[in-house]
Amino acid sequence: MKEGSAATSDGSLAVCVRFFALYREWAGEGKRYVTLPSGASVADLLATLRASPGLERLPFDTKVAVNLDYVGADHALQSDDEVALIPPVAGG
Amino acid sequence: MKEGSAATSDGSLAVCVRFFALYREWAGEGKRYVTLPSGASVADLLATLRASPGLERLPFDTKVAVNLDYVGADHALQSDDEVALIPPVAGG
Amino acid sequence: MTRSQDTRARTEGARLVGDRVAAVITHCPLETVPELRDIGSTADGAWLVFEGRVREENAGRRVRELEYSAYEEMAVKELRAMADEAVVRFDVGQIVAAHRIGRLEPGMASVAVAVSAPHRDTCYAASRWVIEQIKDRLPIWKRERYTDGSEDWVGSEEVQA
Amino acid sequence: MTRSQDTRARTEGARLVGDRVAAVITHCPLETVPELRDIGSTADGAWLVFEGRVREENAGRRVRELEYSAYEEMAVKELRAMADEAVVRFDVGQIVAAHRIGRLEPGMASVAVAVSAPHRDTCYAASRWVIEQIKDRLPIWKRERYTDGSEDWVGSEEVQA
């Protein structure tokens, strides 16, 4: 667990996951709190999410932003992170 | 002399020469009528003009438009042509 | 209208003052974003505004309307970051980038990028670069609704397959 | 205002109707040329306006004002021909090109090119091409007057040497 992260007392961490557009439809909601083992990475979160109903098709290479910045799959999560799943963008 | 040109009765041709910007300053006027031998080209006109006061520095490769179209130095002039001498352009 | 924090509405007369960039995510028509027109100083010889507009047809289907949605907090931050990076990459004066969200009909502007620069080369280059960045990574999505009643998440075809 | 003959002021509502190109040589501010804004149809996803503006400095000298003059009859014909050629060369919707003549001070717009197109690639390409053509061959001249009282015909240095 990284220094400075606010872990729960049992050593796990809780993040707020935000869903947008297609992924929001799949999730059936825009926001969900997820608890993970401490030290969990973005890839771990995606694996956990893929096991929940509607999110089976979530790509392994889903783009993810943590606290408003894009991060890679091996990025270590910390408690209270806001983790956004970013479907293929279509701005412009 | 080209067919269709309105030559003067003695076989010469008269054109209206227009001066702009720097060349207008050199010429001291915006417009001048010049009479040339029939069959005269743009190059002939330029040579004639270079012999007149103020226009000695008129380049041999001066850009010329006849009746609103750019033409080359060997373009044959016809009577009543409007011949414009085009200094280096600076639009934009 | 969400504006990047340190460029908020500091306008004086008809000019954007001080800041060199601004980023706007808005539910309102882009015509209502004055910064898009009021850029440039007397050091700038070139001024360029690009607008992307909703087309009545996409991939052979007649479009009735689009609905843009955004991760707003991140979109305004990213848009601002793109403009900031463009100012570093190119010799430009000011850059304002704006994206509209919500429902739009064909002919309406969804995105606009305004650039002023001393010279036109960098003005065109910076404008194009910002637009490509927007298309590439701005967290905004487009629900396209067609006249035949069907609808799609544009760009998500592969993910859904 | 001199307009190319077959594009004269046929506007309906806020749209330039029918013609795909227009060319304007005018003594008035370019903001007064409505065609520059009112281009594009719902087939066009891209819209781009370039403006060239008077810079306060040129080649290290402080500019007080410029005076543009033109061979007006030819300039409007050439400008129209450039826009016509751009429509053939590029896949664009409409093009409006305008050049102001007379006295201009720093910050004022001297030239503007508006292009609408189905896609942004051709929109940028056409805009840039028209501007380069204008710089290259439009019969317009620029008398630059400096704050130190001197003045010059811009671009004619070599001819005068």
Side-chain angles (χ1 to χ4, degrees):
Chain A
M1 194 183 73
K2 283 199 175 176
E3 199 178 21
S5 71
T8 53
S9 56
D10 61 353
S12 65
L13 60 86
V15 298
C16 173
V17 180
R18 294 188 64 179
F19 303 97
F20 296 94
L22 176 63
Y23 298 166
R24 183 182 181 129
E25 285 188 357
W26 284 355
E29 59 193 356
K31 189 185 282 193
R32 180 185 301 180
Y33 292 90
V34 176
T35 302
L36 296 162
S38 71
S41 67
V42 162
D44 297 328
L45 171 64
L46 290 174
T48 300
L49 289 170
R50 282 174 61 90
S52 66
L55 293 172
E56 299 85 355
R57 283 183 292 171
L58 202 60
F60 287 107
D61 63 350
T62 295
K63 278 197 180 176
V64 171
V66 172
N67 303 328
L68 308 184
D69 283 320
Y70 285 112
V71 298
D74 57 354
H75 179 86
L77 296 171
Q78 306 194 1
S79 255
D80 300 332
D81 277 349
E82 175 169 294
V83 184
L85 306 193
I86 311 286
V89 302
Chain B
M1 191 184 71
K2 284 198 175 177
E3 200 176 21
S5 70
T8 53
S9 58
D10 61 354
S12 65
L13 59 88
V15 297
C16 173
V17 180
R18 294 188 64 178
F19 304 97
F20 296 95
L22 175 63
Y23 298 165
R24 182 181 181 129
E25 285 188 359
W26 283 356
E29 60 193 354
K31 189 186 282 193
R32 181 185 300 179
Y33 292 89
V34 175
T35 303
L36 297 162
S38 69
S41 68
V42 162
D44 297 329
L45 171 65
L46 289 174
T48 300
L49 290 170
R50 281 174 63 91
S52 66
L55 293 172
E56 298 84 356
R57 284 183 293 170
L58 201 61
F60 287 108
D61 62 352
T62 295
K63 277 196 182 179
V64 173
V66 172
N67 302 329
L68 308 185
D69 283 319
Y70 285 113
V71 299
D74 57 355
H75 180 88
L77 296 171
Q78 305 195 0
S79 254
D80 299 331
D81 277 348
E82 175 169 292
V83 183
L85 305 193
I86 311 287
V89 301
Chain C
M1 194 177 299
T2 309
R3 287 162 196 274
S4 77
Q5 196 179 1
D6 51 345
T7 63
R8 185 182 303 268
R10 285 208 295 128
T11 54
E12 186 180 275
R15 295 278 167 192
L16 180 74
V17 174
D19 293 307
R20 296 184 56 191
V21 311
V24 176
I25 303 290
T26 178
H27 289 261
C28 302
L30 295 182
E31 290 74 17
T32 66
V33 182
E35 290 93 332
L36 284 168
R37 266 218 68 92
D38 300 334
I39 63 165
S41 73
T42 51
D44 295 327
W47 179 94
L48 188 67
V49 174
F50 173 85
E51 271 187 24
R53 296 179 176 181
V54 179
R55 297 180 66 213
E56 67 195 350
E57 191 181 295
N58 188 19
R61 293 203 279 181
R62 305 288 296 182
V63 174
R64 180 168 57 83
E65 67 170 26
L66 299 186
E67 185 157 4
Y68 284 96
S69 57
Y71 182 11
E72 288 192 42
E73 311 92 291
M74 182 173 172
V76 72
K77 175 180 166 290
E78 284 286 305
L79 195 55
R80 165 73 194 223
M82 291 168 194
D84 279 335
E85 188 176 342
V87 165
V88 173
R89 280 176 175 257
F90 305 94
D91 177 25
V92 298
Q94 292 182 303
I95 297 184
V96 176
H99 204 298
R100 184 174 175 185
I101 53 180
R103 291 184 187 213
L104 279 77
E105 291 169 11
M108 293 177 174
S110 55
V111 63
V113 176
V115 180
S116 69
H119 302 287
R120 67 188 183 284
D121 271 344
T122 47
C123 201
Y124 278 93
S127 171
R128 193 63 203 268
W129 186 87
V130 171
I131 281 291
E132 298 307 318
Q133 292 291 311
I134 287 171
K135 297 261 179 190
D136 195 47
R137 64 184 172 100
L138 196 65
I140 287 187
W141 301 278
K142 182 160 64 176
R143 184 75 170 163
E144 207 159 56
R145 301 199 178 94
Y146 308 96
T147 53
D148 65 7
S150 61
E151 42 187 284
D152 261 333
W153 288 108
V154 177
S156 287
E157 298 78 6
E158 214 170 293
V159 176
Q160 290 177 279
Chain D
M1 194 178 297
T2 310
R3 287 164 197 270
S4 76
Q5 197 179 0
D6 50 348
T7 62
R8 183 182 305 268
R10 285 210 295 129
T11 55
E12 186 181 276
R15 296 276 167 192
L16 180 75
V17 174
D19 292 309
R20 295 185 57 193
V21 311
V24 175
I25 303 289
T26 177
H27 289 260
C28 303
L30 295 182
E31 291 75 15
T32 66
V33 181
E35 290 93 331
L36 284 169
R37 267 218 68 94
D38 300 334
I39 63 164
S41 72
T42 51
D44 294 328
W47 178 94
L48 189 66
V49 175
F50 173 85
E51 271 187 26
R53 296 177 175 181
V54 179
R55 298 180 66 212
E56 67 195 349
E57 190 181 294
N58 188 18
R61 293 203 278 182
R62 305 286 298 180
V63 173
R64 180 168 58 82
E65 66 170 28
L66 299 186
E67 185 158 2
Y68 284 96
S69 57
Y71 180 12
E72 289 192 42
E73 310 93 291
M74 183 174 171
V76 72
K77 173 180 167 290
E78 284 286 304
L79 195 55
R80 163 76 194 220
M82 291 169 194
D84 279 337
E85 189 175 344
V87 166
V88 173
R89 281 175 174 256
F90 304 94
D91 177 23
V92 297
Q94 293 183 302
I95 298 183
V96 176
H99 204 298
R100 184 174 174 184
I101 53 180
R103 291 187 186 210
L104 278 77
E105 290 168 12
M108 293 178 174
S110 55
V111 63
V113 176
V115 180
S116 69
H119 301 286
R120 66 188 184 284
D121 271 344
T122 47
C123 201
Y124 278 92
S127 171
R128 193 63 203 267
W129 186 85
V130 171
I131 281 291
E132 297 309 316
Q133 292 291 312
I134 287 171
K135 296 262 179 189
D136 194 50
R137 65 184 171 100
L138 196 65
I140 287 187
W141 302 277
K142 181 158 65 177
R143 185 74 170 164
E144 207 159 54
R145 302 198 177 94
Y146 308 96
T147 53
D148 65 7
S150 62
E151 44 187 281
D152 262 334
W153 288 108
V154 176
S156 288
E157 299 77 7
E158 212 171 295
V159 176
Q160 289 177 282

